[in-house]
Amino acid sequence: MKLSSLTAHLSVIALLFAAAPVSQAQHDAGAGNAPGDGESRVSVLEQDDGTIVASDPSGTYLYASWNVYFASPFFMRNKMRCGQPFLLSDGGKQTYGSKNDCSYSSTNPKSEYDPAVQKFSIPVVVHVLMHTNGNGAISDAMVQSQIDILNEDFMALPGTNGSPGSDCQVEFYLATVDPNGNATTGITRTTNNNWYNDSGNYKSSLYWNTNKYFNIYTNTASGYLGYAYMPQQGGVVGNSIDGVVCNWRAFGRNSPYGPPYNQGRTTTHEAGHYLGLFHTFDNGCGTTSACYSSGDTICDTNRESGPVYGCPGNSNTCSSQDPFHNYMDYTDDLCMYEFTPEQARRLRCTVEYWRPNLFTSGGGSTLIFEDDFESGDYASGGWVTQNGKCRIHKKSAYSGAWGARLKRLTNVEKTFSTVGFSQVRVNYAAMVTNYTGTKKLLLQWFDGTSWVTVDNVQSSTFANQSVFLPAGAENNPNCRIRFKSKEKTKGSFASFDDVAVWGD
C-alpha cells in the first residue's frame, strides 16, 4: 500500500506507513558498507520503535515488524533475499596463474580443485552490531550455531540438513587469535544505532585484516537478508569492504526471524558469494554449449532464468528443473541443501587463488614464517638485501603501513627450514610499477645449483599470489627463496607485502 493513497487517514498511517530519510550508506556503497551502485534505488531502515520504513521508486511503506516486511511484496519485488553488490570485474585483468580457472566470467573446474585434495580451514570473526534498545544482540551460542551450519552445509555433514549436498572440504571456525596476537572468542560487539541500521562506514572501523580473516557483520543489512562482495570483483580482496553482512534476525539456528529464513542459510548463501559463486539464476539461462562462460558459469547447476521463492514441488524456467534446492537460489532455508560438485571446485579455486592468505590446508598446515614488514626494515625478518635499492616503503604497503620495495634490478633473499614438511607454499601480495618487459617481479627458489623461477608477477595493481615450491624445497634445513626485480627502466619498482610460507 502506498503512503500517498492514505494521507487522509493519519491514524492508520501511523501504524502501517511512515516517511523516513534515506540512509546515506546506500548512496556510498563503494566507500562504505551497503550494496548498490552509487544510486539509491531502495532504502530500508528500522526506526527506534521497531517499525520498518521501506522506500523504492513505487513509494514509501512502513511495516510493523521485520516479519511483516520479509513477507511483503516490497521484499519480493526488490529481490531483498540477497543484496550482492555489483562492482567492476577483476576477471579481465587477471591473466596469470590459475585465477583464470575461477574468473568473473568463466569457470574451469579442473581436478586439482577436487575437494579430495585437501581441506581448507578458514578463521571467522563475527562483528555483532546492536541498537541502544537492545535489538541486534546475539549470544555466543547463536554465533557458534551459525558456524556449525556453515560446516554442515560446506562439508555436507551426515545427519544434518546439508547432508544431501557436495562435501566441499571447506570448514570454518571462530578465530582464536586476533590481529594483535591476543586470545579472542572471534566475536566483537558494538552498540551504535547508525551502524545497526547499516549506515556509516563501520567496516573501516571494525574490520580485521580481510586477507587473513573472514569478516561477518550482523545488523539490519539495509533491509536485505544479507549481502557480500565476490573476490573477483574489483578492489575487494584486502579492502575493508570485504566480507559478509547478514540481517541479525536471520543469523544462526532457530534465529529470531522464525520460518522460513531462520536456519542460517542466509549466511551459507552469502559465504558462497564470498567464495566466488554466482546466483544460480545470474545472467539468465545462458547456453548449454557455453555453460562455463554463461549463466552462473557452472555446468552442473541446471539453467535458471530467475530466482525461485518458497519451496515448490516443481519449477522450470529454462527447459529443465530449476536448481531450487541449491544454496545460491532464493528459496526457503529448509528447501536449500546443496552445492554441486562443480560449485565446490569453483569455490575451492577461489580460496586458493583469490584468497590465498585466508586459509590453512589439510586441517593442519603450519606457518613456517610470515612478514608484513611492519617492523620497517628487512633485517628484522631475516632478509638479506642485495644493495641499497631494496627498501621498506609506505607506498609499497598492501596492508598496514609498510611494504617491501625493489627498485629496478635488485633482489632480496630469505633462508628458512622446511624440515618435517612434505610440501611448501608461499603466499604474498605483489605489484609492479613502470615495467615494460615480460619478466617483472620474480619469486625464485634455489635448487642447490641455480635460482629457479616459480612465479612472475606482471600486475600493475596488488594481486594475491599463492605458489607451491618445487620438489626439493620440502624437508630442507636451508630452503632459500628470493624476490627479484627484472626491470631496467628508470623509475620502475616492484612492491610486495604479507609474505607467508606454509608447510604441510
Side-chain angles (χ1 to χ4, degrees), residues 258-277:
Y261 304 126
N262 68 331
Q263 294 301 315
R265 263 41 189 278
T266 293
T267 307
T268 297
H269 177 104
E270 302 306 336
H273 288 316
Y274 176 82
L275 297 180
L277 297 183

Side-chain angles (χ1 to χ4, degrees), residues 391-445:
R391 300 176 180 178
I392 304 297
H393 202 288
K394 287 186 175 182
K395 291 185 178 180
S396 289
Y398 177 58
S399 66
W402 300 95
R405 173 173 290 195
L406 304 179
K407 295 182 67 176
R408 300 172 70 179
L409 295 173
T410 189
N411 65 75
V412 61
E413 179 182 331
K414 170 79 176 182
T415 301
F416 50 91
S417 174
T418 62
V419 172
F421 300 108
S422 59
Q423 62 178 1
V424 181
R425 171 168 52 93
V426 182
N427 294 343
Y428 64 102
M431 62 175 286
V432 294
T433 303
N434 296 330
Y435 276 50
T436 59
T438 57
K439 291 184 177 181
K440 301 195 175 182
L441 175 63
L442 307 182
L443 172 62
Q444 298 180 319
W445 166 71

